[in-house]
Amino acid sequence: MTEYLVLPVEKIIAGGQLSSKELALVEPMSVGFHAVDRASVTDGDIVLVFGCGMIGVGAIIRSALRGATVIAVDVSTEKLELAKKLGAKYTINSATEDLLARLDVLTQSMGADVVIEAVGRKETYLAAIAAAAYTGRVLYIGYAKEAIPFDTQFFVKKELDISGSRNATAKDFAAVMNYLKMKTCPIEELITAIYRAKDAQLALESWLNDPGRVFRLLIAF
C-alpha cells in the first residue's frame, strides 16, 4: 500500500490483456494450480478436492483443464454450484451427505486417485486419507491449527504418497493468466465484494461474520 515500489525486474510479470479484477485473482488461484502440479494430476485421474474456497477453486480449475474427473467437496451449496461451473463433474455436500458412501458410488468403491485438501481442519485432514485410493496421492494445502492423530497403518497399507503444497511459482502464475485470458472464468462470482480503502475494516468484519460466503474481497484504491 505504498505509492511506489521497487522490485527486481525478474519478479515482475506483465498483466497483458487482463483487467485489474482478473489480476487480483491470479495469486490466490495460482496456489491451487501449484498443488495440482505438485500432485502430478493427469487426464486419467479422479481428483477429490476438499474445500471450494479460492484455493480449492484453483485446484478444481487446473485439474479440469488437465482432463481429470473432479469431485468437489464443501458444506456450502452455493460454492458447490460454482465448482460445477468451474469444472467439477460431481459435488458432495459433506454437511448433508455421507462423504465416503457417496464417493464409493462415484468411484465404484475405488476411492480418488488424488485428494487435495484445501480446508485445514482435522476432519478433512483425516477424511483425505480415507478417501484416497490404494497407491493414491494425498496433497495438503490447508493449515490445521491443532495436532492431528493419524492412524498411520493406512499410509502403509494403501501405499499412499503424502505431500504438502505452499505458495506457487512463476510457471503457475503464467498458467493462471493463460486461463484467465480465455475469458471463460466467471470472475464476478469469485469476487464477493469490493470495498474502498477507508472501508477496509467493514470488509474484515463482513468476512468474520460470514466466512463461508466469502470467496474474495477486494480493496479499491
Side-chain angles (χ1 to χ4, degrees), residues 74-76 92-97:
D74 204 286
V75 296
S76 166
I92 301 174
N93 188 322
S94 55
T96 60
E97 301 177 79

Side-chain angles (χ1 to χ4, degrees), residues 97-169:
E97 301 177 79
D98 184 316
L99 168 67
L100 295 180
R102 174 73 172 140
L103 182 62
D104 279 347
V105 172
L106 296 176
T107 66
Q108 288 75 54
S109 299
M110 297 296 288
D113 302 296
V114 178
V115 180
I116 297 176
E117 199 280 350
V119 179
R121 292 178 59 88
K122 175 182 177 180
E123 296 87 348
T124 47
Y125 256 69
L126 295 174
I129 300 299
Y134 282 77
T135 70
R137 287 103 73 198
V138 179
L139 187 132
Y140 292 108
I141 312 174
Y143 286 10
K145 296 180 180 179
E146 58 186 304
I148 300 175
F150 285 97
D151 189 343
T152 55
Q153 65 168 314
F154 297 112
F155 298 2
V156 178
K157 289 180 178 179
K158 284 188 165 186
E159 294 190 272
L160 299 179
D161 291 330
I162 302 171
S163 55
S165 183
R166 175 180 177 271
N167 216 324
T169 66

Side-chain angles (χ1 to χ4, degrees), residues 27-104:
E27 188 279 330
M29 197 177 288
S30 71
V31 179
F33 271 52
H34 183 63
V36 171
D37 198 45
R38 290 267 298 141
S40 302
V41 171
T42 71
D43 58 2
D45 287 325
I46 295 176
V47 179
L48 180 74
V49 178
F50 280 103
C52 297
M54 198 65 213
I55 306 303
V57 157
I60 290 167
I61 292 169
R62 187 57 164 162
S63 296
L65 287 173
R66 289 193 174 193
T69 299
V70 183
I71 304 170
V73 181
D74 204 286
V75 296
S76 166
T77 301
E78 179 184 19
K79 288 184 176 180
L80 290 172
E81 286 301 318
L82 182 55
K84 283 184 180 180
K85 295 180 184 180
L86 295 171
K89 185 172 183 180
Y90 304 108
T91 61
I92 301 174
N93 188 322
S94 55
T96 60
E97 301 177 79
D98 184 316
L99 168 67
L100 295 180
R102 174 73 172 140
L103 182 62
D104 279 347

Side-chain angles (χ1 to χ4, degrees), residues 4-14 170:
Y4 296 101
L5 200 65
V6 178
L7 292 170
V9 67
E10 63 270 15
K11 297 295 185 182
I12 305 300
I13 302 173

